[in-house]
Amino acid sequence: MATSTTEIEADIHAHDDHHHGPEPGLMRWVKTTNHKDIGYLYLWFAFSMLLIGGAMAMVIRLELLMPGLQYVEPQFFNQMTTMHGLIMVFGAIMPAFVGLANIMIPPMIGGPDMALPRMNNWSFWILPFASIMLISTLFVDGGAPAGGWTMYPPLVLQTGAAFPMLIFAVHLLGISSIMGSINIIATIMNMRAPGMTYMKMPLFVWTWFITAYLLIATMPVLAGAVTMLLTDKYFATSFFSAAGGGDPVMFQHIFWFFGHPEVYILILPAFGIVSQIIPTFARKPLFGYSSMVYATASIAFLSFIVWAHHMFTVGLPVSAELFFMFATMLIAVPTGVKVFNWVSTMWKGSMTFETPMLFSIGFVIMFTIGGFSGLMLALTPVDFQYHDTYFVVAHFHYVLVPGAIFSVMAAAYYWLPKWTGHMYDEKLGKFHFWMSTIFVNVLFFPQHFVGLAGMPRRIPDYAVQFADFNAISSIGAFGFGLSQVLFAYIMIKAVRSGKKATDQVWDGAEGLEWTLSSPPPYHSFSTQPIVK
Amino acid sequence: MSNKTQPQRSMRSLLTKLFLFPIMMFGFGYLMVPLYDIFCDVTGLNGKTGAISEAKASQMVVNTEREIKIQFTSNINQNGSWEFRPAQSIMTVHPGKPYTTMFYARNKLNEAVTSQSIPSVTPNKAAAHFDKMECFCFTEQKFAALEEREMPVTFVVGTAVPEEVDTITLAYTLFTKE
């Protein structure tokens, strides 16, 4: 049913984009230039990578269940940690956010589609090939890369036949995200409906706008760094080889010049998502909209001048350590603005706790825990103790799992009824939230303790005094992994047999996307709405 | 709808910029390499040492009041099979005066090998004042099978070296060139 309030024409070409409904064969998905089709492809791709990367995490936690070596060889363990990191960062979280951007940005700004639909198709279809190349390294001579996802030389140069595959996979993944970002920027700058000024854009659009700039600024730097690795190994250059006058520490500088903005690429869209969801279920407009925009921009700017906090222990001069320490702590200010704004949005709101809201509140609380441990790590003197321990692992998993991944799940529950026209099972959704939240904390919280006590990361064995906390952590991991099977079940069940969703879906929801039918027409806004 | 989006021309210019920017950033990644070296040279970070001509070194005023202890150490990188050590491990010097010392190296392999030695000076604040007139580290050193050799280093510690520096360590790492 089309809403009467919109100016959507009864679009005669609009057909159901529902991907389990009637469809004209598989080639639709290969050749599609439709933003929603491509977005759904991204999401399914990201989910399958989440399962593959998750299976690797299960191998890691299984080995760490008990001290000693039980199930896998240390070399294979290292391959698992490396591949888990690469797949989750480049295969799961980033494509999931790009998928959400593809589906949601055009309807949120009142556009018909993305600005560059053919390039959009290409951006997606590079991904499966890149990830197949990356995953197939498990089966080549010498095994998968095992030197850590950060690919530090000289260790990474010892990778066997997998090495060029790793480099080219990173190149392809980078090209895909650069093209995706160019598309997002072009869409936001050119496809907004009349009256949709920049400061009226929904926050999800804003955070993605800034994220896209971070991506086009930093992914090429990573591409350059890995190209230098490639030429060092095969073409006798010495960028990172001390014997030829190079310096392996320089790789760390170049890598983290990319890597620190990258961690904000993984979290800014999440900020956008929860900034959409919390006002809906608090039934109040977002508190401090413009401060949210400025805070996002400040975080993006600061992300370029803090990279060396990842390398406090390489032998930086004291002045540099102080600079990077203070610059890093400065990021807590705009981040704090955001957290307080979310809390203020909920303050005295008529709150209800549907699944997307639960995931969003979980995000705010647990992301903040990750933020605080990040603040601890920013302190140079204590970082010397925390560096490369499980405390670091606990920190970044708190911001990435109950942070980024929870936000993607919140987005899936929040917008699925809009996408498919079917509601998910609220009881199961809440059960999924509580299972995920309990187990994710059982999984990662004890890692703070073993980290502070000195357990190093990326090692398959550990001293026996860490045994109890590791056993708890592994049990949490298995529980969290199983909970995500439930997530897949809930989504599929909703698509197949969920009860019909209204166009408004959530009574507190505001924004152009809710003025479209559920599911929306194939070309979101064929006639642009006028925003007042 | 087409009359409401911006004209094709402005889209094209935006896209040109959006595509050029990543290409520029790819170049910036490579630009970081010389920038890094310049930064290290200027600040003396990373223990990079400088070179100085004989003539310039002889013009320095020797400060006989001050004594600085110089320690020599050697490391061997993983490849190749070497014996590599300083002929004397400690010497006391006056700032401004040139000194020569030797490093002993022996190729333990029964084949010709080329080596390259990389120096590093600690503390960092002394590195900018530690200059060499002659060093086996300036060029690749070719060794015949089982050859042994003493290799000279001639250096001078600048008179402007900070007051608090009383010990300087010069470390060489010997790499096998493939």
Side-chain angles (χ1 to χ4, degrees):
Chain A
M1 189 188 81
T3 53
S4 49
T5 52
T6 59
E7 304 188 356
I8 314 158
E9 285 174 25
D11 185 344
I12 48 160
H13 341 279
H15 52 272
D16 192 7
D17 64 313
H18 186 239
H19 50 290
H20 293 283
E23 55 186 41
L26 271 181
M27 284 311 277
R28 166 183 172 186
W29 298 102
V30 177
K31 297 200 290 197
T32 183
T33 55
N34 178 272
H35 72 102
K36 287 191 285 286
D37 283 358
I38 293 170
Y40 301 140
L41 286 171
Y42 265 110
L43 289 185
W44 280 111
F45 172 80
F47 188 69
S48 58
M49 288 298 122
L50 182 79
L51 294 183
I52 293 173
M56 290 171 173
M58 294 301 119
V59 174
I60 295 167
R61 281 321 314 176
L62 184 67
E63 182 54 54
L64 293 173
L65 183 61
M66 287 173 278
L69 297 174
Q70 279 91 27
Y71 302 101
V72 295
E73 297 291 310
Q75 175 70 10
F76 186 72
F77 180 90
N78 292 342
Q79 293 176 23
M80 288 292 106
T81 55
T82 304
M83 294 291 280
H84 168 73
L86 288 166
I87 289 174
M88 288 305 202
V89 168
F90 294 108
I93 300 179
M94 284 169 68
F97 283 142
V98 180
L100 290 171
N102 262 295
I103 306 171
M104 295 318 300
I105 287 177
M108 280 181 152
I109 60 173
D113 202 307
M114 296 296 278
L116 308 158
R118 282 168 210 266
M119 194 170 81
N120 208 7
N121 174 291
W122 196 25
S123 317
F124 172 75
W125 279 108
I126 285 176
L127 280 180
F129 296 99
S131 67
I132 288 168
M133 184 146 68
L134 186 61
I135 293 165
S136 60
T137 57
L138 283 165
F139 309 103
V140 303
D141 206 21
W149 84 277
T150 50
M151 299 177 279
Y152 283 2
L155 187 59
V156 75
L157 300 173
Q158 294 175 19
T159 309
F163 185 74
M165 296 164 77
L166 165 70
I167 303 298
F168 291 132
V170 171
H171 277 151
L172 287 178
L173 293 163
I175 290 170
S176 164
S177 23
I178 289 169
M179 290 197 305
S181 303
I182 288 175
N183 207 347
I184 286 167
I185 295 172
T187 306
I188 295 172
M189 291 181 81
N190 285 313
M191 310 285 276
R192 279 170 292 127
M196 176 61 81
T197 57
Y198 280 110
M199 290 312 276
K200 276 187 189 160
M201 293 195 310
L203 218 64
F204 178 69
V205 180
W206 252 116
T207 53
W208 242 115
F209 193 41
I210 292 167
T211 304
Y213 274 107
L214 287 181
L215 272 165
I216 60 170
T218 60
M219 288 308 289
V221 176
L222 174 69
V226 298
T227 310
M228 290 179 215
L229 286 177
L230 189 76
T231 56
D232 266 15
K233 186 161 166 88
Y234 294 111
F235 301 100
T237 59
S238 314
F239 289 105
F240 310 124
S241 148
D247 186 346
V249 173
M250 187 176 68
F251 178 84
Q252 301 186 23
H253 282 287
I254 303 176
F255 181 86
W256 287 112
F257 181 83
F258 145 81
H260 202 77
E262 168 71 14
V263 305
Y264 293 114
I265 289 164
L266 298 174
I267 204 67
L268 292 184
F271 290 170
I273 290 165
V274 298
S275 303
Q276 299 300 128
I277 294 174
I278 289 176
T280 298
F281 297 98
R283 291 168 182 78
K284 273 176 65 192
L286 185 68
F287 184 89
Y289 170 88
S290 47
S291 69
M292 283 297 214
V293 173
Y294 298 134
T296 310
S298 317
I299 292 172
F301 169 74
L302 289 172
S303 73
F304 284 100
I305 54 164
V306 296
W307 75 88
H309 69 215
H310 296 269
M311 36 194 297
F312 278 146
T313 59
V314 299
L316 297 173
V318 175
S319 51
E321 308 226 313
L322 288 174
F323 170 78
F324 286 109
M325 173 168 95
F326 291 131
T328 304
M329 290 166 75
L330 201 57
I331 295 182
V333 176
T335 313
V337 167
K338 287 185 159 292
V339 172
F340 284 118
N341 280 350
W342 291 321
V343 174
S344 308
T345 305
M346 289 187 265
W347 179 254
K348 291 188 172 172
S350 318
M351 293 217 284
T352 51
F353 299 93
E354 285 87 346
T355 311
M357 183 63 163
L358 288 175
F359 272 100
S360 299
I361 296 173
F363 170 94
V364 173
I365 293 168
M366 287 180 276
F367 172 79
T368 305
I369 293 176
F372 280 141
S373 58
L375 209 50
M376 290 169 72
L377 286 162
L379 302 166
T380 308
V382 292
D383 181 73
F384 277 74
Q385 182 194 341
Y386 304 158
H387 188 85
D388 262 350
T389 66
Y390 259 84
F391 190 78
V392 178
V393 176
H395 156 69
F396 69 74
H397 280 94
Y398 257 93
V399 291
L400 289 177
V401 184
I405 290 180
F406 267 35
S407 81
V408 175
M409 288 175 181
Y413 282 111
Y414 184 57
W415 282 310
L416 186 90
K418 172 55 62 187
W419 300 338
T420 63
H422 296 282
M423 289 300 287
Y424 60 88
D425 185 330
E426 190 61 59
K427 267 210 183 88
L428 281 178
K430 283 181 174 155
F431 183 65
H432 171 229
F433 166 77
W434 285 110
M435 284 292 112
S436 296
T437 301
I438 290 166
F439 282 122
V440 87
N441 283 291
V442 173
L443 162 56
F444 293 120
F445 213 82
Q447 295 185 0
H448 290 114
F449 307 137
V450 289
L452 290 178
M455 178 171 160
R457 60 191 283 209
R458 293 170 171 166
I459 310 271
D461 189 8
Y462 48 85
V464 285
Q465 76 261 32
F466 303 132
D468 292 349
F469 279 136
N470 271 290
I472 294 168
S473 186
S474 288
I475 290 165
F478 304 145
F480 185 75
L482 277 179
S483 313
Q484 302 332 304
V485 179
L486 180 63
F487 177 59
Y489 171 75
I490 295 170
M491 290 289 131
I492 292 167
K493 180 171 173 246
V495 169
R496 289 235 166 120
S497 60
K499 68 176 198 294
K500 204 91 183 76
T502 60
D503 294 347
Q504 176 59 30
V505 186
W506 313 107
D507 58 33
E510 290 189 27
L512 288 176
E513 77 264 36
W514 306 106
T515 64
L516 292 169
S517 58
S518 299
Y522 200 57
H523 298 287
S524 301
F525 281 101
S526 301
T527 305
Q528 288 191 312
I530 312 257
V531 179
K532 285 184 224 88
Chain B
M1 130 213 156
S2 58
N3 58 351
K4 283 186 182 157
T5 57
Q6 288 186 14
Q8 288 273 307
R9 201 152 34 89
S10 82
M11 181 73 162
R12 234 166 248 284
S13 102
L14 172 69
L15 286 183
T16 315
K17 280 180 217 148
L18 286 178
F19 276 98
L20 278 178
F21 186 62
I23 294 169
M24 222 180 66
M25 289 308 292
F26 184 77
F28 176 74
Y30 276 84
L31 187 67
M32 280 168 94
V33 177
L35 286 180
Y36 182 81
D37 283 340
I38 294 167
F39 188 77
C40 289
D41 274 350
V42 171
T43 55
L45 291 179
N46 218 3
K48 294 219 171 177
T49 58
I52 189 170
S53 68
E54 298 260 358
K56 224 171 165 191
S58 62
Q59 284 167 12
M60 281 190 178
V61 184
V62 182
N63 179 357
T64 49
E65 303 277 287
R66 240 182 114 180
E67 286 190 340
I68 294 175
K69 191 163 73 175
I70 310 286
Q71 300 173 324
F72 302 100
T73 66
S74 61
N75 307 294
I76 299 158
N77 192 252
Q78 57 192 349
N79 297 325
S81 182
W82 297 91
E83 199 178 326
F84 180 50
R85 59 184 147 79
Q88 85 187 96
S89 57
I90 295 180
M91 83 201 273
T92 306
V93 304
H94 296 299
K97 188 171 170 196
Y99 295 87
T100 300
T101 186
M102 293 289 182
F103 273 72
Y104 168 84
R106 186 166 74 93
N107 173 18
K108 295 200 278 189
L109 290 180
N110 204 359
E111 57 184 285
V113 188
T114 305
S115 76
Q116 172 80 57
S117 300
I118 304 292
S120 176
V121 167
T122 26
N124 283 337
K125 57 189 159 197
H129 305 278
F130 192 97
D131 292 316
K132 287 174 286 182
M133 284 84 89
E134 193 190 340
C135 179
F136 59 94
C137 60
F138 291 161
T139 53
E140 292 180 353
Q141 302 283 317
K142 289 188 168 52
F143 281 79
L146 300 172
E147 185 187 346
E148 58 182 336
R149 192 194 301 165
E150 288 216 310
M151 303 180 293
V153 186
T154 307
F155 63 90
V156 58
V157 178
T159 43
V161 67
E163 275 303 312
E164 65 273 22
V165 174
D166 57 3
T167 307
I168 298 175
T169 306
L170 172 62
Y172 281 103
T173 305
L174 187 147
F175 292 86
T176 305
K177 287 286 249 187
E178 271 135 37

